[in-house]
Amino acid sequence: MAKIKIGPSTKIYPMPALLVGANVDGKPNFMTVAWGGIVNADPPMAAVAIRTSRHTHKGISQNRTFSVNVPSTDLVKETDYCGITSGAKADKVEVCQFKVFYGKLGTAPLIEQCPINLECKVAHVLELGSHTLFVGKIEETHVSEHCLTAGKLDVSKIKPFAYISEPAQQYLALGEVLAKAFRIGLELK
Amino acid sequence: MAKIKIGPSTKIYPMPALLVGANVDGKPNFMTVAWGGIVNADPPMAAVAIRTSRHTHKGISQNRTFSVNVPSTDLVKETDYCGITSGAKADKVEVCQFKVFYGKLGTAPLIEQCPINLECKVAHVLELGSHTLFVGKIEETHVSEHCLTAGKLDVSKIKPFAYISEPAQQYLALGEVLAKAFRIGLELK
């Protein structure tokens, strides 16, 4: 299995397509982020990497709160739009017709159409170079009732999607179930 | 679209299934991580969240280096095994028949069978509670030659997969292409 070296790169797959929200100058704004995820269990924490020049960066810095919204596949166009447009130049909420609501933090805007909404309070800020890593304590989770099956979240209803950059920059749906986790590995024990 | 609150949670979808490598007491070890990703572009950096009790945590702390290996779907059994077994009790490399090699850092073990291998040097360490977030500068990327198409990485050959915890803990393949990124959103401009 021949290997080649391509130098330092940002190749990890899959990455999620997420909408990160912040109030900027008092107005809700959202940007698309693939560089985000969960980083702690107790207490639950999420981290998002935001380029320092972004409008959202300004908003998170102003309020020290942000949201992570998981869009479903029917929001792929809006998700992409939020990644290629600056909130400094357009009202993304209006263009995307997002229904915005607020939870317990009061300053982290949430998108009603997204099945999952995390409210985060900044706990750590790491300046890494091009990007700032905002680590947030997750203070509340809002989920869309229609994404539950027998009271449990159901990914087949949430319909999240991934961002993949190779060979082309694309959004991909999730596919077939390969195996049960914490189970199939027992065959090697 | 009715919403319900479920309290602070770790619900982000999709998450990647990654194998994080470290030498522990001089011996290569790998664990499965869904809480990891890219966090900076310039210079390229990756972050992985590791529970403080894990064997891998000890190894990263010893050498201040680690690897991120992207497994393909044919390694789903081995990937799961590395998540449910401690390197303190089993030689995971032997059980999984991983062919281990080292790159420029010398102490970050890499799995030849994984299409993508990132060598990382610890740049920041954040103690978050149950987990430590290790932020690493990516010093080199190794890719399997058979995953290239016309000289470019091709996700259809890499075949990465996702870990999803709801409604059941499962590994899912990637599915259909939904749209071109940085393109479909232009329809809303």
Side-chain angles (χ1 to χ4, degrees):
Chain A
M1 220 174 287
K3 289 277 181 182
I4 60 171
K5 297 174 194 168
I6 61 168
S9 77
T10 56
K11 313 296 183 200
I12 283 184
Y13 313 95
M15 291 176 178
L18 305 171
L19 287 165
V20 171
N23 271 6
V24 190
D25 301 329
K27 214 179 98 182
N29 186 57
F30 298 92
M31 72 172 281
T32 313
V33 165
W35 295 357
I38 297 296
V39 292
N40 200 56
D42 305 309
M45 290 188 180
V48 294
I50 311 282
R51 196 172 278 276
T52 54
S53 57
R54 297 297 296 248
H55 201 57
T56 299
H57 190 285
K58 184 182 171 187
I60 299 177
S61 302
Q62 284 175 349
N63 302 295
R64 296 188 67 86
T65 60
F66 64 92
S67 68
V68 179
N69 304 270
V70 178
S72 52
T73 52
D74 57 348
L75 289 173
V76 67
K77 191 185 291 183
E78 288 78 3
T79 301
D80 191 51
Y81 174 80
C82 289
I84 59 178
T85 308
S86 172
K89 293 180 183 166
D91 184 338
K92 299 193 212 180
V93 170
E94 194 188 336
V95 171
C96 295
Q97 298 186 280
F98 287 147
K99 291 180 189 168
V100 173
F101 69 107
Y102 291 86
K104 68 189 287 187
L105 294 180
T107 53
L110 309 164
I111 301 171
E112 194 180 301
Q113 292 101 321
C114 289
I116 312 275
N117 320 97
L118 305 177
E119 290 188 70
C120 302
K121 193 173 180 175
V122 173
H124 299 275
V125 177
L126 272 188
E127 301 297 345
L128 298 176
S130 56
H131 288 62
T132 301
L133 188 68
F134 292 104
V135 177
K137 188 161 170 285
I138 300 166
E139 300 282 350
E140 184 59 276
T141 310
H142 305 259
V143 304
S144 297
E145 211 164 9
H146 73 273
C147 291
L148 301 174
T149 297
K152 284 193 69 175
L153 281 169
D154 187 340
V155 75
S156 71
K157 295 178 177 176
I158 298 169
K159 296 193 180 80
F161 55 100
Y163 169 71
I164 297 287
S165 53
E166 273 78 31
Q169 295 163 320
Q170 295 175 324
Y171 301 108
L172 271 72
L174 293 178
E176 56 167 339
V177 174
L178 297 166
K180 287 187 180 172
F182 306 98
R183 185 72 63 87
I184 191 173
L186 292 173
E187 294 176 18
L188 290 172
K189 282 249 187 190
Chain B
M1 219 174 289
K3 290 277 182 182
I4 60 170
K5 297 174 196 169
I6 61 169
S9 78
T10 57
K11 313 296 182 199
I12 282 184
Y13 313 95
M15 291 176 179
L18 305 171
L19 287 165
V20 171
N23 271 6
V24 190
D25 301 330
K27 214 180 97 182
N29 186 58
F30 297 92
M31 72 171 282
T32 312
V33 164
W35 296 356
I38 298 296
V39 292
N40 200 55
D42 305 308
M45 289 187 179
V48 292
I50 312 281
R51 197 172 278 274
T52 54
S53 57
R54 297 298 296 248
H55 202 55
T56 299
H57 190 285
K58 184 181 172 187
I60 300 177
S61 302
Q62 284 175 349
N63 302 295
R64 295 188 67 86
T65 60
F66 64 92
S67 69
V68 179
N69 303 270
V70 179
S72 52
T73 53
D74 56 349
L75 289 172
V76 66
K77 191 185 292 183
E78 289 78 4
T79 301
D80 192 50
Y81 174 80
C82 288
I84 60 179
T85 308
S86 172
K89 294 180 183 164
D91 184 337
K92 299 193 212 178
V93 170
E94 196 189 333
V95 171
C96 295
Q97 298 186 280
F98 288 147
K99 292 180 188 166
V100 173
F101 70 107
Y102 291 85
K104 68 189 289 187
L105 294 180
T107 53
L110 309 164
I111 301 171
E112 194 180 301
Q113 291 100 321
C114 290
I116 312 276
N117 319 98
L118 305 177
E119 289 188 70
C120 303
K121 194 173 180 175
V122 173
H124 299 275
V125 177
L126 272 187
E127 301 298 345
L128 298 177
S130 56
H131 288 62
T132 301
L133 187 68
F134 292 104
V135 177
K137 188 162 170 284
I138 300 166
E139 298 283 348
E140 185 57 278
T141 311
H142 305 260
V143 304
S144 296
E145 211 165 7
H146 74 272
C147 292
L148 301 174
T149 296
K152 284 192 70 174
L153 281 169
D154 186 341
V155 76
S156 71
K157 295 178 176 175
I158 298 168
K159 297 193 180 76
F161 55 99
Y163 170 71
I164 297 286
S165 53
E166 273 79 30
Q169 295 164 320
Q170 295 175 323
Y171 301 108
L172 272 71
L174 293 178
E176 57 166 337
V177 174
L178 297 167
K180 288 187 180 172
F182 306 99
R183 186 72 64 86
I184 191 174
L186 292 173
E187 295 175 17
L188 289 172
K189 282 248 186 189

